[in-house]
Amino acid sequence: MKLVTQRAVDMALRTMSDAERKKVLGWFDQLKNWRNDPKVRKNSFKLEAFEDLYMLKTRGELRIFFRLGADEVTIIDLASRSTILAAGGKSE
C-alpha cells in the first residue's frame, strides 16, 4: 500500500533523533504492509469516535494515528502515550 504522511507528521519526524526516526519509519513500513502483517493489525485499534481513524500501539510510548484507504495508509499524527493521557484521552 502507498503511505502518505500529513505535514504535522513530517515535522514531528524532523524533531526526532536518528534512532527514534528509524523506529518510526520501521512502523510506517509495517503499516504499508497492512494487508499481509497480522502483527500490525493486531496492535491497531479503530477509534470509536471517528469512523475511519485507527491508532497503532507500538512497543514503546509512541502511538501512530492513521486512516486506511483502498490502496493507501495516511499517517495523521504521532503522539506519546503520556501525552495522550495528559490530554485526558485513553491509550489502552
Side-chain angles (χ1 to χ4, degrees):
M1 297 178 80
K2 179 182 171 187
L3 184 84
V4 176
T5 56
Q6 296 290 310
R7 186 175 177 167
V9 174
D10 297 334
M11 290 173 32
L13 287 170
R14 285 194 292 270
T15 66
M16 293 178 180
S17 70
D18 289 340
E20 289 172 319
R21 188 171 30 262
K22 184 177 178 178
K23 286 180 188 178
V24 171
L25 294 176
W27 284 106
F28 287 3
D29 284 341
Q30 287 186 295
L31 281 167
K32 286 194 296 191
N33 194 29
W34 174 263
R35 292 186 187 116
N36 302 311
D37 191 334
K39 178 181 170 185
V40 78
R41 290 193 311 269
K42 178 184 175 206
N43 291 313
S44 297
F45 302 89
K46 192 170 187 176
L47 300 179
E48 294 176 22
F50 303 95
E51 185 174 319
D52 61 346
L53 189 65
Y54 292 80
M55 178 185 68
L56 171 63
K57 289 173 54 176
T58 66
R59 283 176 264 171
E61 280 279 307
L62 183 70
R63 303 300 184 250
I64 300 172
F65 296 89
F66 65 97
R67 286 197 166 92
L68 290 174
D71 293 313
E72 183 175 278
V73 176
T74 302
I75 309 298
I76 303 298
D77 204 356
L78 308 172
S80 69
R81 179 179 181 273
S82 57
T83 299
I84 295 167
L85 293 174
K90 285 177 135 179
S91 124
E92 302 303 326

